[in-house]
Amino acid sequence: MKSRTVSELLSQDITFPEVDIKGWVRTFRANRFIALNDGSTLNNIQCVVDFENFDEALLKRVTTGAAIHIKGELVESQGKGQKVEIQVKDLAVLGDSDPDSYPIQPKKHSFEFLRENAHLRTRTNTFSAIMRLRSSLSFAIHKYFNENGFYYMHTPIITGSDAEGAGEMFKVSNLDSKNPPLNKEGNIDYSKDFFGKETNLTVSGQLEAETYAMSLGKVYTFGPTFRAENSNTSRHLAEFWMIEPEVAFMDLAGNMDLAEDFMKSVIKHILDNNREDLEFLDKRLQDEDKTKPQAERNEMTLIEKLNFVTNNNFKRVSYTEAIDILRNCKPNKKKKFKYLINEWGTDLQSEHERFLVEKHFKCPVILFDYPANIKAFYMRLNDDGKTVRAMDILFPGIGEIVGGAQREERLDVLKQRMAAIDIPEEDLWWYLDLRKYGTAVHSGFGLGFERLVMFATGMGNIRDVIPFPRTPQNAEF
């Protein structure tokens, strides 16, 4: 007999004389009612045991967290809360769970406690819902690009270049850390290292993706990236996942079109396919809001926020126009912003981005044409010499979620930009080659996957939307 999932059985409108199911015990009440969950759905299926027909020693092993195998009859439920239940005919314990030491008891646990038990936290409703949504979003991303003619490429995790120019990278080396070889200047001689040069874990696959876009036309990456920023905030991870499409012959306007369509598509996918999990997380968020002061509560529910993205056209606003709006707005004039906007050239903070989205335009916003000195060297310089063809997408509750640009396709300008921030041409000779041999307008953007999962689940800490978070002083599991 084929084993069924809890999700399959709960979706049935008919009864079955024989069903076979495996899962983990959530609760066992009155020596009679087993709440069984197998991860396929938020909901448990009730399994009713006639304890007089089962060995008492066996039933004592049916504890929270135990893995069990049940055979029985799917019948119409006699109680409230579920349409069907299983009348248990045969029960086997596949894996015991010590009730005195099992951490995930049927009670409310703090997120901090669950992070300490990240290997078991998906046995709670909140984290099983988050991880099902994470999986669904991942599928939707691949599906979107596949249906739109993109090729999926795997960019290297080990790199000799710093795509962002930030310098906060993890070194990769097999030199003797206690006695490394030194060169004539007394510095570490990386020519003796495994790769013959200094290498790091990548912060982005963008530069390599550009090389493939300039031959395959449309490509995207979706892989792990790393940043050695010593930050313990709720928005930073040392290891995270990035989605980075790159498209040849596409300008900034086309890039904005692509990013808007992409974001709407993946969010619509979970609205259509993960309603149960979204409604559960929506209620969790609303219950949490009730405990906060009015000023700190969310103005939109989780599902309203997702619909806000899919149902609105994204407003396109130049950085210069946004600065004028922010400089003259009430929160800035009354000094309610933590970071006041006084002059053109200021890098925007989350509070400014959220004001533009939530208060001023009341729709998602795409800011474009940023000052060159606050953006990366590879972004296409505008004719004014002051701004670059960069764009950021701003969402409610989170601020910036996507960052992208039209890339600098002119060899002479790119060399000047690199020289200005001391990037040696020999480090990126292959990147410059793209501008020597068949250069063309091209564009792309980056989306931090965990930022997207945070937005889609309403979670406030990025450590709660990745299976095993890597942060300063924390590489557990």
Side-chain angles (χ1 to χ4, degrees), residues 152-251:
Y152 180 34
M153 71 169 294
H154 301 114
T155 49
I157 289 171
I158 298 170
T159 180
S161 62
D162 181 358
E164 300 298 322
E168 296 161 335
M169 302 177 78
F170 291 102
K171 293 190 185 305
V172 176
S173 174
N174 73 342
L175 293 176
D176 183 346
S177 60
K178 292 182 180 177
N179 188 28
L182 303 179
N183 58 24
K184 290 177 183 177
E185 290 77 33
N187 299 318
I188 293 174
D189 186 356
Y190 285 104
S191 69
K192 303 285 197 303
D193 208 347
F194 186 88
F195 293 106
K197 63 185 291 189
E198 191 171 356
T199 54
N200 307 286
L201 295 180
T202 188
V203 297
S204 168
Q206 177 210 311
L207 302 190
E208 292 88 351
E210 280 187 56
T211 69
Y212 270 56
M214 295 305 285
S215 55
L216 295 177
K218 297 199 285 189
V219 301
Y220 75 103
T221 77
F222 187 175
T225 49
F226 308 85
R227 193 184 290 276
E229 186 176 357
N230 189 15
S231 175
N232 266 305
T233 77
S234 61
R235 295 174 66 165
H236 287 90
L237 289 168
E239 177 185 87
F240 51 99
W241 288 69
M242 284 289 290
I243 300 104
E244 297 173 297
E246 291 291 327
V247 183
F249 313 116
M250 185 174 76
D251 62 9

Side-chain angles (χ1 to χ4, degrees), residues 205-328:
Q206 177 210 311
L207 302 190
E208 292 88 351
E210 280 187 56
T211 69
Y212 270 56
M214 295 305 285
S215 55
L216 295 177
K218 297 199 285 189
V219 301
Y220 75 103
T221 77
F222 187 175
T225 49
F226 308 85
R227 193 184 290 276
E229 186 176 357
N230 189 15
S231 175
N232 266 305
T233 77
S234 61
R235 295 174 66 165
H236 287 90
L237 289 168
E239 177 185 87
F240 51 99
W241 288 69
M242 284 289 290
I243 300 104
E244 297 173 297
E246 291 291 327
V247 183
F249 313 116
M250 185 174 76
D251 62 9
L252 180 63
N255 202 23
M256 291 191 280
D257 290 342
L258 173 66
E260 178 173 349
D261 189 56
F262 166 71
M263 294 302 291
K264 286 181 174 180
S265 174
V266 295
I267 289 172
K268 186 175 187 304
H269 178 87
I270 58 168
L271 284 168
D272 292 344
N273 294 281
N274 297 80
R275 201 74 190 187
E276 179 183 271
D277 288 326
L278 286 174
E279 286 174 353
F280 170 81
L281 292 171
D282 198 348
K283 184 178 184 305
R284 186 202 73 78
L285 206 58
Q286 290 182 57
D287 290 344
E288 187 182 86
D289 267 357
K290 289 173 186 173
T291 67
K292 295 178 180 177
Q294 189 68 42
E296 293 176 22
R297 295 180 187 179
N298 291 291
E299 292 191 9
M300 287 182 275
T301 68
L302 176 60
I303 290 174
E304 283 173 350
K305 202 166 59 172
L306 298 176
N307 283 321
F308 179 87
V309 170
T310 59
N311 294 341
N312 282 300
N313 291 324
F314 293 12
K315 179 72 175 176
R316 300 181 186 190
V317 184
S318 73
Y319 167 90
T320 300
E321 184 184 344
I323 284 291
D324 287 342
I325 291 166
L326 291 166
R327 191 191 286 132
N328 295 309

Side-chain angles (χ1 to χ4, degrees), residues 57 62 100 174 228 287 408 421:
V62 181
D100 295 326
N174 73 342
D287 290 344
E408 183 56 77
I421 55 172

Side-chain angles (χ1 to χ4, degrees), residues 417-433:
R417 298 290 306 283
M418 288 169 62
I421 55 172
D422 297 321
I423 297 177
E425 289 184 21
E426 55 268 28
D427 286 359
L428 289 176
W429 62 270
W430 50 273
Y431 190 66
L432 293 171
D433 269 4

